[in-house]
Amino acid sequence: MNKIPKPSELLLRFFRWFCHPKYREDIEGDLLERFEKKVNTIGVRKAKWSFFKDVIRLFRPSIIRPLEGTYRLNQFGMIKNYLKTAPRTFVKNPLITIVSLFSLVTGIVCFQLIHVWLTNELNTDQFHKNIDNIQVAVMKSNPIADYKPFSHSKFFNMNYHEFPNIKGKLEISVYDNDIKLISQNSEFYGKGLIVDSTFFDFFDFPLHSGNDKDILTDPKNIILTKKYAAKVFGDKNPIGEAVKIECDKRGIYQVAGLLDDIPSSSSINFDFLIPRHSQQNWGKMSTDLILTDDFFNEKEFKAKIAEMGRFHPQFPESTLSCIPFSSIYFERHFDYGLFSKYGDLNNVKTMFIIALFILLISALSFANLQTTLQLSTIKNMGIRQVNGASKFDLIIETLIGRLYFLISSTIVGCFIFELIFPFYTGILEMDLDRNRILDVAGIFSVSGIIISISMFFALVQISKIETVKALKNKLSISSVSKIQRALTTVQYAVTIILMIATTVVFIQFKYMLNKDTGLIEDNIISVKLTNQIPNRLSRDEMVKERENQKKDYHFVVDQLRQNPNIVSISQGRMPISSVAYPMAWRFQSQGIDYTTENMMVVDPEYDDLFGIEILEGRFFSDSLDMSRQKKVVINEAAKKYWGIENIDTARIANQSWGDDEVPYRVIGVVKDYHYEHLSAKIKPLMLVYMRNLEENFLIRIQDGKEQECMAFIEKLFMKVNPMGSLNYAYFTDKIEAQYKKERIVSRIYLVFTIIALMLSLISLFTFALYETKRRTKEIGIRKVSGASFQDLFSLLSLSFLKTVFIAYLVACPVAWYGMNKWLENFAYRIDMSLWVFAFAGFIAAALALLAVSWQSWSVIRINPVESLRYE
């Protein structure tokens, strides 16, 4: 016997739920009869679909059953009345209304501020429409080396057009403050990119003036950013103006275009663009960028090119590859001068969690406040029920009240957001791209989420209303208090977690900034005093330029050494992140292959300037060593890494400079010092003596003589560079800039933790307001019975301290686990001390007592006679 098909039971239940009882039986019979007919004509599947559409069509006001037994579904007059009475309720309870609005606005503004920052971080470089189709060419010199940016086309004659799905190639060289730009007898330095004419096929940096299609095809054109153009030309229109550049090349260019200021969401920053084909053989090493189409197979391409560089005598074990441009910002596969900043996914995740915490705390605070307000109007609700109001009516009334909060919080939130946004970006020390329409939409949406959460608790309360108890103002007081107490506990636990996290972050960053790097840091400056010689001059011109450079160099050195306020001088680069250059090195006494280790160029005065301690052997000396000799000084980490026992016989080969045939002789070992970010362990380091006359001077100034010495250096600079402007940087400023992001993040943690704590205190204060008023009569009875002030204060305060204590017990293990995981990102980290948790508990308890003490005092001091009359 065939089974008779039936329509969906779930749809039938839905129909029976919403349909008016008066019509339910007749309509259901018609629906089932219609379904059976369609089964026989169009089949079971289509009949079920038709049944679904029939049920949905019936869901309309004329058929829907009334809520709470009333047939008045469209009570326009009732809604109009509630629109008038809701503001009166707010006026009668000004404290809770104002504090509710403050809590709501604070939460949504803080959330939106964090959201803007997160959006900028996550959208970094996303304004380039080809962001997902750009690959960066990389190479590692041997199987255990690290990948680094490279030019496959230049070194290995790779023709990318031979590969399918590759649309173009862009070769870039980075000159970071190495190019002198001369205009109107004034000299300026900036970050320049030497690029192919395909630059704008890859990147969408907006041109303020000029045509991005052909502007870089003319070898005499140069493009400036608006900001840099204003620095060079002031208010004058620079288009068509001639400028001269000097570096390892020289040339005269015409300003052909202006770029709008680089967006803050760009990981690439620069001051000007120069066409690569305007000169030959630029001195800075270049890198290839590859533009692919949507059908590009990255895996297949990597497999094809992996071994294509091994024919080159310098790279017999090399592996060629490519890395998606879109992944570099957060994954930081390498440090490269093209990228002015890198992101940190840990910071993004942490800020996202803080944003959620702020949202949660604000929602709980607002819900607590509105719960208190609703409890104060329970008797009025009971009276309205006696007069015929249904629970549906009470829901509508509550919804209209929340609607007022939604509108007012959006308006006030937008105003406050606009007001404090400039201060916020000042704290972040960065510009943030924003869209005002999206900001308004975000504030409105977050406000709606918070209010929806509070509506959930309001519905729970309304569902528990019993008319008789409501009239006596005795509505399930104990159960409502449990809900409020639970909300307050969760809110305070989240706040304590934030307090502990902020304290740990602050101490860790302070530890990093104050940690001994093993170097002298104070009063050391880096300044460029001599110029670089172009490498494309005639023989006679080169000789003349070299003589002039030597003359200027010796003059500068003599003047600096004669100044009694100068303690020491050297040349080179400051030992901070991204300064050490990765190269392939190998200790000859071991069978292991070349590995990528860090190298820095120094001169014989470098150790004295920075106070580098010599542990074995000696440092470089002008009397014993020559520039570019095959001698090397290593650090402790390198000696341990290679297991070197006797440095007198130690030989280290450099794959690019001589290989095993002409290895470097180790002449000394220096004590480890930090030359990278403190989140990383000290890595092996090779120090090589190379004296470059055009290199920056490193000068250590006598303490207290900074102003006098800087005035002297400026005069000296003007004698050598009469058209130039002095640029210098303090070592301490560079170190501080190295930890700029950490410093900013710690500030944000601190600010939002204080806000979260404030919101929690507001919630606790309102809970105390309701709780103490509820127990007014009880307090009067206890006072008549002889209870002292201390007894009554302890009775009320202990109730709230229990809430804080439970929140503290919940927060501590969560915070301990979370912050230990966070500290794992640092090679040098603080220990999680118990005093951090004790401090957070003390602050939480002290502020909780402060929040409730005023309310407790106000109730305790009431005359017992009046307390006994209190309803």
Side-chain angles (χ1 to χ4, degrees), residues 445-703:
S445 300
V446 175
S447 181
I449 292 171
I450 293 175
I451 289 172
S452 299
I453 293 172
S454 74
M455 270 302 299
F456 169 77
F457 294 107
L459 292 174
V460 173
Q461 280 186 305
I462 292 172
S463 68
K464 294 177 179 288
I465 291 179
E466 299 174 36
T467 306
V468 176
K469 289 185 177 181
L471 287 171
K472 293 181 179 181
N473 209 18
K474 295 180 178 179
L475 171 68
S476 303
I477 286 173
S478 60
S479 62
V480 174
S481 294
K482 286 179 181 178
I483 293 174
Q484 252 192 318
R485 194 177 294 278
L487 292 177
T488 305
T489 303
V490 172
Q491 184 180 2
Y492 228 75
V494 172
T495 305
I496 292 171
I497 291 172
L498 277 179
M499 288 173 60
I500 294 171
T502 300
T503 305
V504 171
V505 169
F506 180 79
I507 296 173
Q508 173 64 23
F509 290 153
K510 187 176 181 182
Y511 166 78
M512 290 169 60
L513 288 172
N514 295 329
K515 190 179 188 311
D516 182 15
T517 60
L519 299 169
I520 295 173
E521 299 175 8
D522 295 332
N523 300 326
I524 295 177
I525 65 166
S526 173
V527 57
K528 192 169 189 65
L529 295 174
T530 53
N531 296 318
Q532 188 173 357
I533 299 175
N535 59 11
R536 297 293 294 178
L537 298 176
S538 66
R539 181 184 181 88
D540 293 339
E541 288 175 327
M542 182 67 76
V543 171
K544 183 178 179 181
E545 288 287 346
R546 179 63 66 182
E547 289 298 321
N548 289 336
Q549 186 189 51
K550 287 181 179 179
K551 181 180 177 182
D552 288 344
Y553 170 79
H554 290 299
F555 173 74
V556 168
V557 171
D558 289 342
Q559 292 294 309
L560 291 175
R561 285 178 175 167
Q562 290 175 19
N563 191 305
N565 297 326
I566 293 177
V567 178
S568 181
I569 64 169
S570 177
Q571 277 184 288
R573 304 182 72 183
M574 292 180 174
I576 55 175
S577 290
S578 304
V579 168
Y581 187 76
M583 296 190 74
W585 297 85
R586 185 173 80 86
F587 180 46
Q588 284 192 324
S589 297
Q590 291 183 343
I592 63 172
D593 208 337
Y594 286 95
T595 58
T596 301
E597 311 301 340
N598 290 328
M599 184 271 293
M600 285 182 63
V601 172
V602 299
D603 67 5
E605 293 81 21
Y606 200 83
D607 63 326
D608 180 59
L609 182 91
F610 287 105
I612 298 173
E613 185 178 344
I614 309 299
L615 297 180
E616 292 183 58
R618 62 179 178 84
F619 203 73
F620 298 109
S621 167
D622 277 328
S623 59
L624 300 175
D625 309 304
M626 294 178 60
S627 175
R628 291 177 169 78
Q629 267 189 323
K630 299 296 182 178
K631 298 178 182 178
V632 65
V633 174
I634 63 175
N635 66 351
E636 285 181 281
K639 183 183 177 186
K640 292 176 184 176
Y641 175 70
W642 280 312
I644 298 175
E645 296 180 359
N646 184 1
I647 66 170
D648 294 332
T649 58
R651 299 292 183 271
I652 301 176
N654 181 291
Q655 193 174 39
S656 300
W657 297 336
D659 209 344
D660 286 318
E661 297 178 3
V662 191
Y664 280 72
R665 180 163 64 90
V666 179
I667 64 170
V669 179
V670 298
K671 186 176 181 180
D672 281 343
Y673 60 86
H674 292 279
Y675 61 93
E676 291 184 310
H677 197 285
L678 281 169
S679 60
K681 288 185 178 180
I682 297 177
K683 298 175 184 176
L685 177 67
M686 306 325 119
L687 300 176
V688 177
Y689 174 22
M690 291 186 184
R691 190 180 291 282
N692 299 309
L693 303 186
E694 65 272 11
E695 196 67 72
N696 279 21
F697 278 87
L698 303 174
I699 303 170
R700 178 146 59 95
I701 302 170
Q702 188 175 333
D703 190 26

Side-chain angles (χ1 to χ4, degrees), residues 622-855:
D622 277 328
S623 59
L624 300 175
D625 309 304
M626 294 178 60
S627 175
R628 291 177 169 78
Q629 267 189 323
K630 299 296 182 178
K631 298 178 182 178
V632 65
V633 174
I634 63 175
N635 66 351
E636 285 181 281
K639 183 183 177 186
K640 292 176 184 176
Y641 175 70
W642 280 312
I644 298 175
E645 296 180 359
N646 184 1
I647 66 170
D648 294 332
T649 58
R651 299 292 183 271
I652 301 176
N654 181 291
Q655 193 174 39
S656 300
W657 297 336
D659 209 344
D660 286 318
E661 297 178 3
V662 191
Y664 280 72
R665 180 163 64 90
V666 179
I667 64 170
V669 179
V670 298
K671 186 176 181 180
D672 281 343
Y673 60 86
H674 292 279
Y675 61 93
E676 291 184 310
H677 197 285
L678 281 169
S679 60
K681 288 185 178 180
I682 297 177
K683 298 175 184 176
L685 177 67
M686 306 325 119
L687 300 176
V688 177
Y689 174 22
M690 291 186 184
R691 190 180 291 282
N692 299 309
L693 303 186
E694 65 272 11
E695 196 67 72
N696 279 21
F697 278 87
L698 303 174
I699 303 170
R700 178 146 59 95
I701 302 170
Q702 188 175 333
D703 190 26
K705 300 293 184 179
E706 293 85 2
Q707 289 186 350
E708 297 176 37
C709 200
M710 288 310 304
F712 166 78
I713 292 172
E714 187 167 4
K715 289 180 180 178
L716 178 61
F717 175 84
M718 295 306 294
K719 289 180 181 178
V720 182
N721 305 277
M723 296 187 299
S725 57
L726 181 66
N727 292 304
Y728 63 92
Y730 275 93
F731 186 35
T732 49
D733 292 340
K734 287 287 187 180
I735 293 175
E736 191 171 343
Q738 182 169 278
Y739 300 102
K740 176 183 176 180
K741 182 166 286 190
E742 286 83 358
R743 186 177 68 252
I744 290 169
V745 170
S746 64
R747 287 180 189 172
I748 296 175
Y749 289 172
L750 179 61
V751 169
F752 288 118
T753 298
I754 293 172
I755 291 170
L757 184 59
M758 182 174 61
L759 291 173
S760 295
L761 290 177
I762 289 171
S763 181
L764 194 62
F765 174 79
T766 52
F767 184 32
L769 176 66
Y770 165 72
E771 190 76 359
T772 51
K773 284 185 177 181
R774 184 178 70 84
R775 302 179 71 175
T776 299
K777 185 177 285 188
E778 177 192 346
I779 297 299
I781 295 171
R782 289 179 180 273
K783 287 180 75 174
V784 170
S785 302
S788 66
F789 171 83
Q790 289 81 3
D791 294 335
L792 296 174
F793 185 79
S794 299
L795 176 69
L796 293 173
S797 300
L798 284 174
S799 173
F800 301 109
L801 284 178
K802 287 179 183 177
T803 301
V804 176
F805 182 68
I806 294 171
Y808 181 73
L809 291 180
V810 172
C812 283
V814 176
W816 179 277
Y817 175 79
M819 295 318 295
N820 265 305
K821 295 294 289 183
W822 181 78
L823 286 170
E824 288 176 2
N825 296 305
F826 299 90
Y828 302 93
R829 47 167 285 183
I830 61 170
D831 294 323
M832 290 283 287
S833 302
L834 291 177
W835 75 262
V836 173
F837 296 86
F839 174 75
F842 172 77
I843 294 296
L847 292 176
L849 277 176
L850 185 65
V852 303
S853 59
W854 181 78
Q855 280 300 320

Side-chain angles (χ1 to χ4, degrees), residues 32-51:
L32 293 174
E33 185 179 347
R34 183 184 175 91
F35 173 77
E36 290 175 3
K37 288 180 179 179
K38 290 199 172 185
V39 167
N40 296 326
T41 56
I42 62 176
V44 177
R45 186 175 177 183
K46 290 183 178 180
K48 286 186 175 183
W49 174 244
S50 179
F51 183 81

